[in-house]
Amino acid sequence: QVQLQESGPGLVKPSQTLSLTCTVSGGSITTNYYFWSWIRQPPGKGLEWMGAIAYSGSTYYSPSLKSRTSISRDTSKNQFTLQLSSVTPEDTAVYYCARGHVLGSNDYWGQGTQVTVSS
């Protein structure tokens, strides 16, 4: 059973960089042919796919967030990380990490972590 757990600060100041880590257990992030995604849900809105890192290490980003988003991984720790720069209050959301065979279709999700952008 694959399990994902998000971690990181719950409060970030405007203009700073949001950094979250997803720790994966029960499966390797380098296993063919999975994608490991970051998805968020602002209050009162739907889910928004932000980007993903593939089993190969290739990265994929939402066009609307690409200029501010970076996803990386630490295979020794079986973790992958999201960095979102220049945050504003509009980046306040519950952030999820997830796994899927296809970009945009995920079978395992973390429980989500609330991030609030506020001074």
Side-chain angles (χ1 to χ4, degrees):
Q1 177 88 359
V2 175
Q3 293 184 316
L4 299 93
Q5 179 66 58
E6 305 89 350
S7 60
L11 180 65
V12 182
K13 295 185 185 302
S15 81
Q16 292 187 340
T17 295
L18 179 163
S19 184
L20 296 174
T21 296
C22 183
T23 301
V24 179
S25 59
S28 172
I29 62 173
T30 61
T31 299
N32 297 346
Y33 295 95
Y34 290 109
F35 296 90
W36 304 88
S37 291
W38 286 99
I39 300 142
R40 68 180 182 179
Q41 186 168 28
K45 298 185 179 181
L47 294 169
E48 178 184 23
W49 179 80
M50 302 179 68
I53 187 164
Y55 62 96
S56 62
S58 297
T59 52
Y60 306 85
Y61 299 106
S62 166
S64 64
L65 294 170
K66 185 175 182 178
S67 64
R68 299 195 292 131
T69 307
S70 178
I71 297 175
S72 59
R73 67 180 184 176
D74 185 337
T75 56
S76 68
K77 296 181 180 178
N78 215 34
Q79 297 175 333
F80 61 106
T81 299
L82 169 73
Q83 290 193 311
L84 181 67
S85 63
S86 305
V87 297
T88 72
E90 286 66 43
D91 294 309
T92 294
V94 177
Y95 285 75
Y96 299 92
C97 57
R99 186 197 81 166
H101 263 299
V102 177
L103 282 176
S105 179
N106 299 291
D107 54 0
Y108 287 97
W109 293 68
Q111 65 183 22
T113 187
Q114 172 71 46
V115 177
T116 300
V117 179
S118 175
S119 56

